[in-house]
Amino acid sequence: MSSLDALFAPRAIAVLGASATPGKLGAAMADSLASFPGPVMKVNSGRPDPDRGFFPTVGEAAAAHGITPDLVVSCIPAAVTADALREAAAVGARAALVCAGGFAEAGGDGALHQQALTEMVRDTGIRVLGPNTSGFLAPHRRLTASFVPGAPDLEPGPVAVVAASGGVNHALAFTLAEAGVGLRLGVGLGNSLDVTQGDVLRHLAEDDGVRAVALHVETAAEGRRLTEAVRRLTDRVPVVALVVGRSDIGDFARSHTGALATSWRVTRTALRQAGAVLVDDERDLVDAVTALSRVRLPANPRPGIGLVTAQAGPGLLLTDDLRSHGIQVPPLVERTVKELRELLPALTYLNNPVDTGRPSPALTQVVERVSEDPGIDLTAVYGLLEPTAVDLPAALTAARTATPLVAVVGGPVEQARQTRRELGEAGIPCAATPASGSAMVRALVEDAAARTRLEAVVTTPDAPTLPPPGPVDEHTAKGVLADLGIRTPVRRVCADPTAAHAALDELGGPVVVKILDAEILHKTEVGGVQVGIRTHEELDDALARMPASPALLVEQMAPAGPELIVGVRRDPVFGPVLALGAGGTAAEILGDVSLRLAPLSAHEAHAMLDELATRQMFLGARGTTPVDRARLTHVLLALASLAADDAVAECEINPLRVLPDGDVVALDAVLLLRDPRDQGGSDDA
């Protein structure tokens, strides 16, 4: 039993502000709820009329109907909502939907109204959806708690929508209906004063009727509570997430690492790491959940796709789009090609994609042979409706394939729509265009890969001993890194120029000389770094150019090589976030960065390099030294372990240089510690 059953599965409902006047919110809501099989009580304190079914209070309505409403739907102004719901809770109501606006989103007195509503929730324990939402839809219960026209006509089905916006909830529900997919539950959160997306996802985890979930996120104030809910749900059903806010560049931190990680990126990272499939727009969201509600591949790090096309041009569009997204379209084995050669005329292409020339009665067998190839995990078919050549839906539904199918069908509008609906009912996801077909295939592949990642064990190594609270200089920061097994340059701390000259003699040139001042994070910006010093004369010149400093750091210079930036910081919402990017300005200018939440598995850490646009710089392109992936993975996991200590605010290595032997060395390090008074709080705040 879910804690939200009173909201989404009530036995009886009361409508506050119910009205008989057409056009009013209370009238529209009462009309939408007319199909609900249980009692729907109409409450109007201003114009009660018991003879017509309008009661002045929830208590009197409950007495008249002989049952207490589980759910109260509030269509009254913000200023009186909290008091009205407090009265409803006193007579036994356990959940409320607050549709009205005029709360925190409106500013001014709205913030006071929202605070009053918050206090009411705290005092009574009633669960509140909203405020400022157009409601929710549960067609299988004939429950339409929405004032949006057309919502009561939506058909039940296997897909749930959990949207930050009530408007987006309804837009997705109607688009799913157009695609022939019914709705299990559609929820618009509004202001999320009480019931959050994580709450709804946890409710859905207990609903056996859900086959896929569409998640629309505008903000992620829940942090890891949201990702934990996604992670729990994806064990049973797939979650597809659309995160809004690509252009929202947050003030992440003073370091380069912080400047790169926007709230949008961190949110997407968190959801993907929890097992969600990410999409970039609402059309792809609908295509993805349509496919995943009908097919779910076994866990697989990189499924192979077999393509069969009855028209070469559209087939090429589908193939090109899949490959451009890194989807594997492997060549078929010789046995499969030989079998296809016996089925198809000469001059057709037989080695994935398989071009049949035109739809023909052999299509069923062609699809079966491709699906049986050992390198194929999912088979996608493109065809135009040509009834005189072959009954396309019959040919596909008759196929006894070794893999699931995805179809892309074009043709006259009504016939194609009917075909897509027929195939969908047969369990074959069917798209209208190659682009939509590609979105479906990509979603199935990413879901399979996500569950493979989730099987990996999260690594939580012991954190090192940290210095006492206060500013940390570079030498101390590098000492912490060394304790973690991260290579750092041989170096000497020097109190004065005389000691620096002695260090040059000991280390030999070339060396780097730096000011050692914990208050200066970026020493190059103040002339505090001098490189390539080989002689005492060069050292004297370098010291003359440098600003005054409490101490100096003299280090052996590392050989030239590609450079990375690695950092970890404590995000206020999601907690510790790990970043990897190209060193220098490339990561900032190009936005070339890979993110993960910490702690993480070695599998996740190893994959971060592959997400960089500049990855070939570190994999041996044009004669450059390929990085030792195991050593880089160790650095990433070691930095992630730092965040296990609540005292760490952030740590950055920039640059992390790749050496001729493939190992990496931290040439500069910044470690920021949190004020002890700020420790121990929630990362979800």
Side-chain angles (χ1 to χ4, degrees), residues 489-637:
V490 178
R491 62 192 180 278
R492 298 292 181 266
V493 175
C494 304
D496 53 39
T498 300
H501 281 280
L504 175 59
D505 287 335
E506 180 186 357
L507 301 177
V511 297
V512 180
V513 181
K514 306 177 182 180
I515 59 174
L516 192 60
D517 189 335
E519 300 293 343
I520 301 176
L521 298 182
H522 302 294
K523 294 175 284 293
T524 55
E525 296 176 3
V526 296
V529 179
Q530 301 293 322
V531 302
I533 298 168
R534 298 176 182 274
T535 68
H536 291 284
E537 291 76 12
E538 290 175 347
L539 177 56
D540 284 331
D541 290 342
L543 294 175
R545 293 191 298 268
M546 295 172 68
S549 173
L552 298 167
L553 190 64
V554 179
E555 291 184 330
Q556 284 183 342
M557 277 193 67
E563 294 181 344
L564 291 157
I565 175 175
V566 183
V568 64
R569 70 167 293 270
R570 194 171 297 276
D571 182 84
V573 173
F574 285 103
V577 178
L578 184 67
L580 171 69
T585 60
E588 261 185 297
I589 295 172
L590 301 176
D592 189 21
V593 63
S594 174
L595 302 176
R596 292 292 188 279
L597 300 192
L600 70 163
S601 67
H603 181 280
E604 287 279 12
H606 187 273
M608 291 177 73
L609 181 63
D610 295 322
E611 296 175 5
L612 301 183
T614 52
R615 59 188 174 276
Q616 292 304 325
M617 291 172 53
F618 310 101
L619 296 174
R622 294 184 177 272
T624 57
T625 303
V627 68
D628 184 324
R629 297 291 292 266
R631 290 300 302 162
L632 179 59
T633 297
H634 172 79
V635 172
L636 291 166
L637 292 174

Side-chain angles (χ1 to χ4, degrees), residues 425-480:
E425 291 172 353
I428 302 174
C430 189
T433 66
S436 288
S438 175
M440 288 185 172
V441 171
R442 296 194 319 263
L444 294 170
V445 168
E446 176 56 29
D447 176 65
R451 280 181 293 131
T452 302
R453 295 194 304 270
L454 292 174
E455 292 173 352
V457 176
V458 171
T459 302
T460 54
D462 294 334
T465 302
L466 294 173
V472 179
D473 64 32
E474 180 182 346
H475 175 66
T476 304
K478 285 179 173 175
V480 172

Side-chain angles (χ1 to χ4, degrees), residues 11-66:
R11 296 166 301 168
I13 302 171
V15 180
L16 299 182
S19 173
T21 304
K24 286 198 170 183
L25 177 61
M29 184 64 75
D31 288 344
S32 292
L33 290 168
S35 61
F36 180 65
V40 177
M41 311 169 194
K42 300 176 183 179
V43 178
N44 190 317
S45 60
R47 295 184 178 181
D49 189 345
D51 292 337
R52 298 176 60 198
F54 291 87
F55 297 91
T57 67
V58 172
E60 292 181 54
H65 285 82

Side-chain angles (χ1 to χ4, degrees), residues 375-406:
I376 301 306
D377 302 290
L378 175 68
T379 307
V381 183
Y382 179 88
L384 289 174
L385 292 175
E386 297 187 49
T388 58
V390 66
D391 183 339
L392 186 60
L396 294 180
T397 54
R400 298 294 178 259
T401 56
T403 72
L405 283 181
V406 170

